[in-house]
Amino acid sequence: MDAYDVIIIGTGAGGGTLARHLAPSGKRILLLERGDWLPREPQNWLAQDVFVENRYVSEDTWYDADGNPFQPQIHYFVGGATKLYGAALYRLREKDFGELRHHDGISPAWPISYDDLEPYYTQAEQMYQVHGARGEDPTEPPASAPYPYPAVSHEPRIQQLADQLAAAGHQPFHAPCGILLDEPNMPYSTCVRCANCDGFPCPVHAKADAEVLGVRPALEHDNVTLLTNAKAVKLETNPAGSAVTGVAVEHNGATETYAGDLVVVACGAANTARLLLESASDKHPNGLANGSDQVGRNFMYHDSVAVLALSREENPTVYQKTLGLNDFYFGSDEFEYPMGNLQMVGKSQSPMFRGEKPGETKLAPGWTLEKVARHAIDFWLSTEDLPRSDNRVSLDRDGNFTISYTETNAEAKKQLYNKLRSLLGDLDMNPGHLFHRFMYMKTEIPVAGCAHQAGTCRFGHDPATSALDVNCKAHELDNLYAVDTSIFPSIGAVNPALTAMANSLRVGDHLLERMA
Ligand SMILES: Cc1cc2nc3c(=O)[nH]c(=O)nc-3n(C[C@H](O)[C@H](O)[C@H](O)COP(=O)(O)OP(=O)(O)OC[C@H]3O[C@@H](n4cnc5c(N)ncnc54)[C@H](O)[C@@H]3O)c2cc1C
Ligand code: SF4
């Protein structure tokens, strides 16, 4: 059996970031990735292939609580979900780390404070080359350094939107974007500023994803090995059940076992819980790290909504994701509870609609899908969903993988939607009409749109109510860690990747200290 100092399972935001952080240590590091390299091909940028034919979506079948099968919108590649992500790289707000009262209940506190994570947010912004402007967003938490790159400029229609929002008394800001764009020097810019970013892979490797800025830099170190098409299927322990001794992996049609002094799981929230549940043994009959019955529970995924408004003028914007609005993040004069974040999403293209089933287009009589796309201004509304014990992933006796999920905070989501709706007249858009887009969730089963999945193995001080300790080590095992979004005790209302990256760097420092 090959032996490593560290085995990292999964190469997405959590695993890819950790690999790069640990690589210079010279420790022997094995990266296990169930997917392959995402092929660089013309289809990367074709809406028909990406959005209608689901070219880069896994073929997994999962089940909802009623036993209905669905194809989860999940991506198995080196770089994980970040290969397709929109690269909006937000920090959680400072108050998100404390207990917060929402319309539907309490969002629990994290076991660490914002101040504990702040230095790692700064490092993560530097590693992922985030472009942004401090001081514009009133909810922005304090930062110890400026953004490493200037904000991505608004195109004229979005600048107009920003001006109109400001004139109506709001505080729009330049959204933090992870793209390798050099606007003053476009002939040398890696990013060409195209319309096919959010939800597409980037064939020119200009997106700040975990392959380009995590795994590839890690592999420049001889002590790092990557095994692709290597699916971890079980974690084996010593007879006492106190440490992981082997990782069983399906690779090239055979099962191989690898040993590591430290084992870090970063398979994405649902699959991390799945691997732990599948690793049940005599010593851990309910799954590894699951003496508290927490593994799989508190699944969250931002039951977000993508909507488009119809601009009176055409909207020729190419790269639309440059603007955000957090004025209603913690509530408003009329609604005292947190509502969430408003941001732009990738520009609509008519072929996407065929993948997204926009039944509501009938509300715009006489408008072809092409015309709707030309006039669309597209927003992404995210409201925090609360961790609920019964919202969970689980395995049944036949090994079927189920996500049971009941929506929380529907009222707050509705309030945020209504806020946007009420603004349209001021923003030179057809008042009263917002059309739903089913971006990232191209099926009738909302939970299939699990792009922002989190929870399932939360970290905390108390082994009775958490699976992992403050260093994200399993309470019950000496050498098992998790660093993906599974560790989130709550999800806030901003996109989760930067927080997973920052936490991975934090845990990485702990691992380096432990291995010193
Ligand atoms: C279309 C889309 C748009 C998004 N936009 C944004 C955005 O703009 N901003 C943002 O912050 N977030 C965004 N997200 C979410 C973001 O990508 C995720 O939050 C983030 O990637 C989660 O990181 P992770 O490490 O938990 O999981 P992932 O990045 O999914 O990585 C998990 C990895 O583990 C691998 N794996 C799974 N099981 C196994 C196994 N058994 N053995 C070996 N390997 C395994 C997977 O193949 C994958 O590579 C988006 C996601 C999608 C899908
Ligand atoms: S906008 Fe830039 S990073 Fe995004 S897909 Fe286009 S070239 Fe790649």
Side-chain angles (χ1 to χ4, degrees):
M1 204 195 294
D2 293 328
Y4 292 88
D5 294 309
V6 188
I7 297 179
I8 302 172
I9 309 171
T11 60
T17 305
L18 182 66
R20 178 168 174 184
H21 194 54
L22 299 185
S25 68
K27 298 289 176 189
R28 287 160 303 151
I29 299 165
L30 176 64
L31 282 173
L32 296 172
E33 170 52 54
R34 72 180 285 170
D36 210 330
W37 297 97
L38 193 144
R40 301 171 74 185
E41 53 186 8
Q43 291 91 333
N44 287 179
W45 268 341
L46 296 180
Q48 173 74 23
D49 292 82
V50 176
F51 281 82
V52 182
E53 288 158 25
N54 281 341
R55 187 174 178 83
Y56 305 108
V57 175
S58 93
E59 288 176 358
D60 279 12
T61 302
W62 295 356
Y63 296 84
D64 70 9
D66 299 323
N68 299 309
F70 64 87
Q71 185 186 11
Q73 300 288 305
I74 197 160
H75 312 279
Y76 296 143
F77 294 103
V78 176
T82 69
K83 288 307 296 171
L84 284 293
Y85 79 165
L89 291 174
Y90 283 82
R91 298 178 180 214
L92 284 174
R93 312 294 93 175
E94 196 167 6
K95 281 200 242 168
D96 286 325
F97 288 81
E99 190 175 286
L100 254 185
R101 178 165 292 283
H102 283 248
H103 183 270
D104 279 8
I106 295 291
S107 165
W110 285 46
I112 56 172
S113 69
Y114 173 75
D115 288 347
D116 295 324
L117 203 56
E118 196 289 325
Y120 298 103
Y121 271 129
T122 295
Q123 277 182 44
E125 284 173 349
Q126 286 162 358
M127 185 183 283
Y128 285 92
Q129 305 195 14
V130 183
H131 293 57
R134 301 248 190 257
E136 294 179 348
D137 172 2
T139 68
E140 181 184 61
S144 55
Y147 279 107
Y149 293 89
V152 177
S153 65
H154 296 316
E155 290 174 47
R157 181 64 185 93
I158 303 304
Q159 183 61 55
Q160 191 190 357
L161 180 62
D163 295 343
Q164 288 162 332
L165 280 166
H170 297 293
Q171 291 164 283
F173 57 88
H174 285 86
C177 301
I179 54 175
L180 280 50
L181 180 69
D182 186 357
E183 290 193 73
N185 195 11
M186 281 311 282
Y188 282 84
S189 173
T190 314
C191 171
V192 300
R193 190 169 190 144
C194 72
N196 301 334
C197 197
D198 201 1
F200 296 81
C202 176
V204 298
H205 278 182
K207 197 189 282 190
D209 66 41
E211 177 202 338
V212 174
L213 295 178
V215 176
R216 283 176 181 263
L219 290 176
E220 286 169 17
H221 298 260
D222 293 341
N223 51 307
V224 180
T225 306
L226 167 69
L227 217 58
T228 55
N229 301 303
K231 179 183 174 190
V233 289
K234 185 159 179 148
L235 304 178
E236 295 160 359
T237 67
N238 58 7
S242 58
V244 176
T245 49
V247 181
V249 176
E250 283 174 6
H251 184 228
N252 293 336
T255 302
E256 302 163 356
T257 303
Y258 294 88
D261 291 345
L262 302 175
V263 174
V264 185
V265 189
C267 297
N271 278 313
T272 283
R274 181 177 192 160
L275 181 59
L276 298 181
L277 294 173
E278 284 175 338
S279 300
S281 63
D282 289 349
K283 287 285 176 202
H284 298 277
N286 297 321
L288 274 195
N290 198 23
S292 58
D293 188 28
Q294 289 300 305
V295 172
R297 294 190 183 274
N298 305 301
F299 180 83
M300 298 163 280
Y301 81 115
H302 275 158
D303 188 7
S304 307
V305 53
V307 292
L308 65 87
L310 294 177
S311 176
R312 291 204 179 89
E313 301 296 316
E314 288 194 5
N315 173 19
T317 306
V318 175
Y319 182 80
Q320 191 171 243
K321 269 185 94 74
T322 55
L323 182 143
L325 187 72
N326 275 335
D327 290 1
F328 315 116
Y329 197 92
F330 292 113
S332 68
D333 290 345
E334 306 87 51
F335 188 72
E336 61 178 304
Y337 300 105
M339 285 188 237
N341 161 271
L342 267 172
Q343 60 184 274
M344 312 307 293
V345 70
K347 178 82 181 67
S348 290
Q349 302 175 33
S350 59
M352 288 177 182
F353 295 150
R354 282 181 276 275
E356 295 178 6
K357 303 193 176 90
E360 291 85 346
T361 45
K362 66 179 180 294
L363 292 175
W367 285 57
T368 60
L369 291 181
E370 285 70 25
K371 187 171 173 195
V372 169
R374 277 203 309 278
H375 285 254
I377 297 194
D378 308 78
F379 297 91
W380 176 257
L381 283 62
S382 271
T383 298
E384 174 166 354
D385 56 338
L386 302 174
R388 287 276 162 84
S389 183
D390 289 342
N391 284 349
R392 64 184 299 196
V393 302
S394 56
L395 279 173
D396 71 13
R397 254 182 266 120
D398 302 323
N400 292 326
F401 191 58
T402 298
I403 299 190
S404 309
Y405 182 86
T406 304
E407 186 180 7
T408 65
N409 263 344
E411 181 58 30
K413 183 170 146 184
K414 193 171 108 197
Q415 294 283 342
L416 185 62
Y417 178 87
N418 287 341
K419 268 282 174 207
L420 175 62
R421 205 160 180 263
S422 69
L423 286 174
L424 296 182
D426 288 337
L427 305 178
D428 214 17
M429 297 184 209
N430 286 312
H433 279 347
L434 279 178
F435 302 97
H436 281 248
R437 287 183 55 189
F438 292 87
M439 181 102 178
Y440 309 157
M441 35 186 140
K442 288 155 257 179
T443 77
E444 302 300 341
I445 297 187
V447 81
C450 50
H452 287 191
Q453 56 178 288
T456 77
C457 292
R458 66 183 177 191
F459 77 136
H461 296 291
D462 183 355
T465 56
S466 56
L468 310 171
D469 71 12
V470 171
N471 293 318
C472 293
K473 183 186 80 61
H475 287 296
E476 295 168 4
L477 289 111
D478 296 336
N479 66 343
L480 176 65
Y481 291 80
V483 295
D484 53 14
T485 55
S486 71
I487 67 98
F488 285 28
S490 64
I491 191 173
V494 288
N495 317 47
L498 189 76
T499 300
M501 292 158 175
N503 185 58
S504 201
L505 295 171
R506 183 186 71 90
V507 174
D509 272 0
H510 162 77
L511 297 179
L512 289 171
E513 225 170 85
R514 185 175 162 164
M515 290 187 291

